[in-house]
Amino acid sequence: ADPPAIMPDPTVMDEGLWADSARGRVLFHGEGPGPRGYFADDLGNSYLIAPLYTWLLSAVYWVFGVGLWQTRLLAALMSLGTAALAGSFVARRSNYHYGSLCVLVMGVCPLLDQHGRFGLLESSQAFFLMASFVLLFPLRPSMLKALLAGAAMGAAMLTKPNSLNFGVVPFALAFGVSWFYEAREHRAGTHIRRLQQGLCITLGGMLAIAIPALLVWLPHWDEFLLTITH
């Protein structure tokens, strides 16, 4: 679908900007600072700032080819996934009807609708943030879920770095508040279990971020510094 009319006209330019590295990777193959691959155009900004989004979009291009609808396909699927995750979260805590209502409300959310009809980062970011939230506050907590919650948060940051502000900080506060109220109920082993969960969350996030650090940032350190300082 075409973008909503209420979106600023220059926003369309962002599609090409964030798709640039993935498009170059598929059309010219290979990578490196030369005229091929992720750096075929521009400075490879999207590859350096949002490596996970670049990899996901590259996969879409490899399967379906390079084009406008392919560029917007990832955002549309991620928006649908975000609504589905939110609905499942509510349904598990209430019932199927409220879960379905949540999906409908998410479906008409202006922000989700706008981003879901553009080839922008925010839809993928929202999906990973929602996945992290669902795993962070499950009905049956476990260390594995905590580890995956951290990994999902790391994925959100690798999709759009401002997930630090919109994800890490508020989720950490929410985790701390839930810890506080659980401790007030004097449940046995609360502090030990919460500390273990916190360590698993941190480890999951660090492992997720370590992958692009080794594969993307270190091999192109000069370009990375140039991108984040300008």
Side-chain angles (χ1 to χ4, degrees):
D2 289 330
I6 61 174
M7 295 292 282
D9 292 338
T11 309
V12 179
M13 298 174 60
D14 289 349
E15 286 186 303
L17 172 67
W18 295 113
D20 182 68
S21 292
R23 183 171 55 244
R25 177 72 174 96
V26 173
L27 293 179
F28 301 102
H29 307 291
E31 67 170 278
R36 295 170 63 82
Y38 293 120
F39 296 89
D41 277 333
D42 208 335
L43 294 175
N45 288 350
S46 57
Y47 179 52
L48 297 172
I49 297 174
L52 180 56
Y53 177 81
T54 300
W55 290 333
L56 292 174
L57 190 57
S58 295
V60 173
Y61 285 161
W62 278 115
V63 174
F64 298 108
V66 177
L68 180 59
W69 72 265
Q70 294 93 328
T71 302
R72 294 175 176 174
L73 177 63
L74 179 61
L77 293 176
M78 288 297 192
S79 293
L80 291 172
T82 301
L85 283 175
S88 67
F89 182 84
V90 172
R92 289 192 182 99
R93 282 156 180 75
S94 54
N95 57 52
Y96 171 79
H97 300 291
Y98 286 118
S100 300
L101 179 61
C102 177
V103 173
L104 292 175
V105 171
M106 292 287 289
V108 298
C109 170
L111 195 61
L112 199 67
D113 175 61
Q114 292 165 15
H115 292 154
R117 293 161 66 181
F118 267 114
L120 300 180
L121 308 178
E122 284 79 3
S123 293
S124 298
Q125 178 192 28
F127 174 80
F128 290 122
L129 287 176
M130 182 60 69
S132 180
F133 185 84
V134 170
L135 290 164
L136 191 60
F137 301 104
L139 290 177
R140 296 181 177 84
S142 69
M143 297 304 119
L144 177 59
K145 291 177 182 178
L147 185 72
L148 293 175
M153 181 59 69
M157 293 185 65
L158 297 174
T159 301
K160 193 170 184 181
N162 68 358
S163 297
L164 177 65
N165 303 327
F166 295 105
V168 175
V169 173
F171 285 18
L173 290 174
F175 184 78
V177 169
S178 66
W179 184 347
F180 172 75
Y181 279 102
E182 185 176 338
R184 289 183 62 182
E185 297 176 0
H186 303 291
R187 297 181 185 178
T190 293
H191 295 298
I192 297 297
R193 181 172 57 81
R194 286 290 188 163
L195 283 172
Q196 291 174 338
Q197 285 180 326
L199 289 174
C200 287
I201 293 167
T202 304
L203 178 61
M206 292 177 63
L207 289 174
I209 294 175
I211 296 173
L214 294 173
L215 298 180
V216 180
W217 298 326
L218 289 179
H220 307 105
W221 187 249
D222 291 337
E223 293 89 347
F224 178 63
L225 288 180
L226 180 64
T227 298
I228 64 176
T229 56
H230 289 76

